Amino acid sequence: MGQGGEPRRVQAYDGELGAAVARAQEGDESAFAVAYRLVQPGLLGYLRGLVGEDAEDVASDAWLEIARDLGRFRGDGAGFRGWTATIARHRALDHLRRLKVRPRSAALEQDMLDLPGPYSTHDQALESLSTEYALQLVRGLPRDQAEAVLLRVVVGLDGPAAARVLGKRPGAVRTAAYRGLKRLAHELGAGRVTDDGPRTLGEST
């Protein structure tokens, strides 16, 4: 609902994005470029959290598929962000399968969650997510938590949209995002990270 972690800045672009997508579907190449510019920063941040330095290559593959299938998309700006995130996620998982990468185990997860963090809210953790260091921390989270945080904060999806991308119930995604942010708040606080590169992932914090 109206929680401090809602990615309102990203959602503010949804009207412009929806209009650009509609024009792009009619063959307007400059409108497709506008849609790309609005979506790519968040999408790239999401992919960095999943595949690290291979994010640019995976994003390129995803955009080829997005461009090819654009005529089949039905929805508004927020729907387009969810649709592109789903395509990017499939390309990322294909990439990880090729590399035979396994998700990290989280044996210490519960211990971490039970530790008191220095932040009274998750907001400061969110404000630091534009740093590369914070993205590295996100990659260290259990897969479900990392994806929930990336989709909610970096891509800017709401809970139900993030749940659709992940094929899970909204409540499960909400819980995973909460746990991931709680752990991030602790780790960012312990490392005293500051946001010295504001919004390097675009309007995503």
Side-chain angles (χ1 to χ4, degrees), residues 2-149:
Q3 296 172 349
E6 285 299 322
R8 288 192 185 86
R9 287 193 203 90
V10 176
Q11 292 170 355
Y13 290 112
D14 281 348
E16 183 184 354
L17 177 57
V21 170
R23 292 197 311 274
Q25 288 180 313
E26 295 167 1
D28 185 337
E29 290 184 18
S30 64
F32 186 82
V34 170
Y36 173 88
R37 177 175 55 79
L38 291 172
V39 171
Q40 172 70 349
L43 206 62
L44 197 57
Y46 175 48
L47 289 171
R48 279 198 194 110
L50 294 181
V51 301
E53 61 191 23
D54 295 329
E56 296 269 5
D57 291 340
V58 174
S60 295
D61 290 344
W63 279 106
L64 285 173
E65 185 172 337
I66 290 163
R68 186 193 72 203
D69 294 344
L70 186 63
R72 299 197 341 230
F73 170 73
R74 297 288 177 270
D76 57 8
F80 186 73
R81 279 191 289 113
W83 183 67
T84 55
T86 300
I87 290 173
R89 181 174 191 263
H90 289 157
R91 295 288 68 77
L93 295 180
D94 287 346
H95 177 78
L96 292 175
R97 272 192 288 273
R98 282 196 298 273
L99 293 180
K100 300 284 192 292
V101 171
R102 298 281 179 266
R104 254 168 243 193
S105 69
L108 297 177
E109 175 187 354
Q110 200 55 50
D111 292 344
M112 287 295 300
L113 292 177
D114 291 338
L115 289 171
Y119 292 139
S120 58
T121 71
H122 301 320
D123 292 350
Q124 291 103 321
L126 298 181
E127 287 303 315
S128 298
L129 275 175
S130 61
T131 65
E132 288 298 322
Y133 175 63
L135 267 182
Q136 289 172 20
L137 291 180
V138 171
R139 292 193 74 199
L141 293 173
R143 170 72 66 80
D144 64 327
Q145 293 179 20
E147 288 206 72
V149 169

